[in-house]
């Protein structure tokens, strides 16, 4: 059964991540029969706005297959207009009930931004746009006295959740109407675990602050 509610979708992602972590993936929906079945239309149950990091492939770490996840990836999961438009397409046209911001420890984009700020030297080319998008998260971490790079990553994930809702009236309206939820998840490269660090539940009023829970234990499910 394809999940149709935010809670069902999140439960399915957690179950798939648990299979991946424990070395018991089922690789669902990757066979030729399913490929043919979804060729005429897609109904993905989650949008994943993830970092482009090569070790963060959504279908692998959540043990899913074709037609399950609508995936948008940029370095440092930075969200510009094209990313927001892609998310809005999935939520409004495809009816996807869950949006996940997926970050990870040792994120190179966050490290590059921190280095650019500390040295006062912005990177060349369009990488500067990535750094610029991460800087507000660095400022927030500094204001909260957070220096650990992976704790900063968790703040950046929560900041990304809030930025998406603040900059997309369409997404905020879908959340307010109870049609979808937005969740921030932090992935551990070595362990393979994705834990929830920020949540904006379905039915939340437009542009709410995310509930940040950085003290949550590193447990899947
Ligand atoms: Zn990254």
């Amino acid at each position: 059964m394809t999940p149709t509610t935010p809670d069902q979708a999140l439960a399915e992602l957690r179950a798939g991540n648990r299979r991946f972590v424990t070395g018991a993936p089922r690789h669902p929906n990757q066979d030729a029969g399913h490929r043919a079945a979804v060729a005429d239309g897609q109904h993905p149950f989650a949008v994943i706005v993830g970092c482009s990091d090569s070790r963060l492939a959504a279908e692998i770490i959540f043990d899913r297959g074709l037609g399950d996840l609508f995936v948008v990836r940029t370095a440092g999961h930075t969200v510009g207009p094209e990313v927001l438009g892609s998310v809005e397409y999935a939520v409004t046209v495809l009816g996807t009930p869950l949006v996940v911001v997926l970050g990870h420890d040792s994120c190179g984009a966050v490290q590059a931004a921190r280095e650019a700020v500390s040295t006062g030297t912005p990177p060349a080319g369009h990488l500067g746009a990535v750094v610029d998008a991460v800087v507000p998260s660095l400022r927030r971490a500094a204001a909260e006295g957070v220096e650990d790079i992976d704790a900063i990553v968790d703040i950046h994930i929560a900041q990304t959740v809030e930025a998406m809702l603040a900059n997309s009236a369409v997404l905020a309206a879908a959340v307010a109407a109870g049609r979808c939820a937005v969740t921030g998840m932090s992935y551990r490269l070595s362990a393979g675990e994705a834990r929830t660090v920020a949540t904006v539940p379905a039915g939340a009023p437009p542009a709410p602050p995310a509930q940040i829970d950085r003290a949550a234990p590193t447990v899947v499910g």
Side-chain angles (χ1 to χ4, degrees), residues 104-115 134 137-138 141 146-157 186 188 195 214:
H104 63 100
D105 55 351
S106 307
C107 183
V110 174
Q111 291 169 337
R114 193 154 82 155
E115 186 171 326
V134 177
S137 300
L138 298 180
V146 174
E147 295 183 354
D148 176 70
I149 186 68
D150 294 332
I152 293 174
V153 164
D154 288 357
I155 288 176
H156 181 51
I157 293 167
S186 187
R188 291 286 175 266
R195 65 190 168 89
R214 287 191 298 281

Side-chain angles (χ1 to χ4, degrees), residues 26-38 65-66:
R26 294 207 301 259
H27 309 295
N29 299 339
Q30 297 184 17
D31 57 288
H34 188 76
R35 184 181 70 218
V38 297
L66 300 174

